[in-house]
Structures are given as C-alpha cells and as structure tokens.
Amino acid sequence: MVIGTILIFLAFVAIGLHLSKRDKEVQLHDEVIQEKGKKLKTSKTRYYLIGLAVGAGLGVILTDNLLITLIFGGAGSYLVGEKLYNSKEEKRQMLLNEQFTQVLNSIISSLEAGSNPYQALEEAVPTLKNPARDIFIEILRQNRTGTNYHEAIAKVAEESGWEDLRQIEVAFRLYNSAGGDLVAVFNYLLQAAYENKSDRKYVEGLTSQIRMTALVLSALPFFLMGAMRYMAPDFAYPLFNTPAGIFIVILIIVLVGIGNKIINKMVEDIC
C-alpha cells in the first residue's frame, strides 16, 4: 500500500511539474532559426509513464496482487495516459487557435508596410509566444534550408497539427503562382477567424460536459472496487484473487477503454 501511495504521489508530482511550466520569451536571432527543429507536437510517452504509475499504484493499494497490479498498470498507461495527453493537446490547440488572429494581424501589418511574405513571417515571430513561436521558427528554419515558404508552412502544419496554417499556406501559394492583393486576402482570413471564435467556444462548452461525464463514468467502477476492498474485504476477495474475478476486472477495464474510445470519437466528430 505504501508503494502504491508513493507511485501515485510521484505521478501527480510529475503532472504538476509539467503543467506548471511556462514558456519564456526569447528574442529572435539567426542562430535560433538555424538550430535543429523541435518537436512540434506533444509527446505521448511521458503521459503513458504517468498513467502506468497511477494504475500500478492503484493496483497495489486496492489488491496487493501482482497480476492485478500489472493489469491496472497497463490499463492506467492507456486510459490515464491518453486522457492526460488529450487534455494537454486540446489546451495546446485552443491556445494556437487564439494565437491565430495575432499571427494574421502581424502578417497584415508587415505586408501593409511593404514586406514580402518571408519578411512578414519573420517579423511575426518576435511578437508570438509558444507554442506558435516554435512553429513559426520551424517554418523559417525549413525555408532557410531551401524549402519554399508555402511548402514549409504545409509541412509544419502537418507536423504540428495546426490546421489553421493551411489557410496561410493557400494564400501564399496562390500569391506565388498568380499574384494578387495579399493584404485583402489576409484581412478576409482575419475576419473569418474572429467569426470562428464564437463557434469554437460553443463547441468547447458542449464537449467539456461530455468529457466530464466520461471521466466520472470511467472512474466509477474503480471507485466501487476500492470501496468494496476496504468496506467488505471478504466480499471483494474473489474479485481480485480468483480467475473469474480477474476476468471480470479485465472485462471492466476493456469496456471502460471501449467507452472512452467511442466518446473520444464522438467529440472529434463534433469538433
């Protein structure tokens, strides 16, 4: 039980340290653009490790059974790790969506001042905070290695998952092939971005209720197991120490995982 408590404590410490990190503002220099590109998407590995620690800790606390602890560790790695990863990635995407209007405003100002598209992208970087700043530094880095700027935008949009960049890529691609008034195009994109904000807030409010319901329903079976373990240990003993009981535990975990998959798919379809 002590080991389980320590594992859960360390997992929550890791979560707290990761979520409390704040991005620092760094002035743009050529050497920053030329440095090796950073990962533009959130890494899943750390969240799976945290989930593994949480699941194994719960297994030790609830059962003291090695097999159940391993099952809980594997389930926690997927269920908890996936939940933490999705939450972090959603917050990152929300921040990128908010920063998109700032990006467009900066590009419009640069174009109106007579800058070319590359200069407009370069001048946008010092005004941005992460995660948008790292994404635009990667665009400039790829452009300096010989990739056309609109192709660099397309590649980075794919790598980072920031779909709004596709609009900038299309605008620059059309300008590169046919010319036109870039300022007017970006003003139109800016107007559309402001209109999309209200729609996104409505969708975020709707999906947050669905996610909270899913979280409660996912945690309920494990809460009941813990309550049975300590309130009626003789009643709960067969659940954790017989083949039939272990099969039921595995079945519960599988059904919770399937339910979360279905709910996540529903949320993705709404978004």
Side-chain angles (χ1 to χ4, degrees):
M1 183 171 179
V2 174
I3 296 174
T5 305
I6 292 172
L7 286 172
I8 293 176
F9 172 75
L10 291 175
F12 279 105
V13 168
I15 294 170
L17 288 174
H18 182 70
L19 296 180
S20 65
K21 287 196 301 183
R22 294 291 182 268
D23 296 315
K24 296 180 180 179
E25 284 296 306
V26 183
Q27 188 175 359
L28 178 65
H29 293 290
D30 286 348
E31 57 268 24
V32 175
I33 296 176
Q34 296 290 359
E35 72 182 359
K36 185 178 179 181
K38 301 178 180 179
K39 289 184 178 179
L40 300 179
K41 266 192 174 180
T42 308
S43 172
K44 286 188 176 183
T45 304
R46 70 185 72 178
Y47 298 106
Y48 285 152
L49 292 175
I50 292 171
L52 176 65
V54 171
L58 285 174
V60 172
I61 291 173
L62 293 178
T63 69
D64 289 330
N65 182 304
L66 179 60
L67 178 58
I68 295 292
T69 299
L70 292 175
I71 293 171
F72 270 55
S77 178
Y78 173 73
L79 295 175
V80 178
E82 195 75 12
K83 187 73 69 176
L84 290 173
Y85 169 77
N86 287 338
S87 176
K88 180 69 176 179
E89 187 63 18
E90 284 161 11
K91 289 178 181 176
R92 175 178 165 276
Q93 287 295 332
M94 286 172 59
L95 184 55
L96 286 173
N97 292 336
E98 290 294 324
Q99 291 181 307
F100 187 59
T101 53
Q102 181 184 358
V103 169
L104 294 177
N105 273 313
S106 177
I107 292 175
I108 289 170
S109 298
S110 297
L111 292 174
E112 287 178 336
S115 300
N116 61 41
Y118 176 82
Q119 291 171 330
L121 293 173
E122 190 173 43
E123 290 166 2
V125 175
T127 67
L128 298 175
K129 295 182 179 180
N130 280 329
R133 181 181 180 277
D134 281 345
I135 289 173
F136 271 81
I137 285 177
E138 179 62 16
I139 291 171
L140 296 175
R141 188 192 68 81
Q142 291 196 19
N143 183 246
R144 289 193 175 188
T145 58
T147 306
N148 189 291
Y149 55 82
H150 58 75
E151 292 175 354
I153 293 171
K155 289 172 65 176
V156 172
E158 180 70 26
E159 293 171 10
S160 65
W162 191 5
E163 290 301 317
D164 286 337
L165 285 180
R166 304 283 186 188
Q167 300 176 38
I168 298 177
E169 182 241 330
V170 170
F172 282 154
R173 188 181 293 274
L174 290 174
Y175 174 77
N176 207 38
S177 60
D181 188 352
L182 264 182
V183 175
V185 172
F186 275 92
N187 276 319
Y188 174 78
L189 292 179
L190 181 61
Q191 181 182 355
Y194 280 126
E195 291 173 355
N196 288 337
K197 272 190 177 183
S198 59
D199 295 335
R200 280 177 174 152
K201 287 180 180 178
Y202 172 76
V203 171
E204 287 163 9
L206 181 63
T207 56
S208 64
Q209 297 175 9
I210 298 174
R211 292 191 188 97
M212 182 55 65
T213 302
L215 180 62
V216 172
L217 293 177
S218 298
L220 188 58
F222 305 103
F223 173 78
L224 292 176
M225 287 181 195
M228 288 169 55
R229 170 78 165 80
Y230 289 100
M231 294 176 66
D234 293 336
F235 180 75
Y237 180 85
L239 184 63
F240 303 118
N241 296 279
T242 65
I246 293 173
F247 173 77
I248 291 173
V249 171
I250 295 173
L251 181 62
I252 290 171
I253 292 172
V254 170
L255 291 175
V256 169
I258 292 173
N260 274 273
K261 270 288 186 184
I262 293 171
I263 290 172
N264 288 337
K265 179 63 177 174
M266 291 169 58
V267 170
E268 288 174 6
D269 290 343
I270 291 173
C271 294

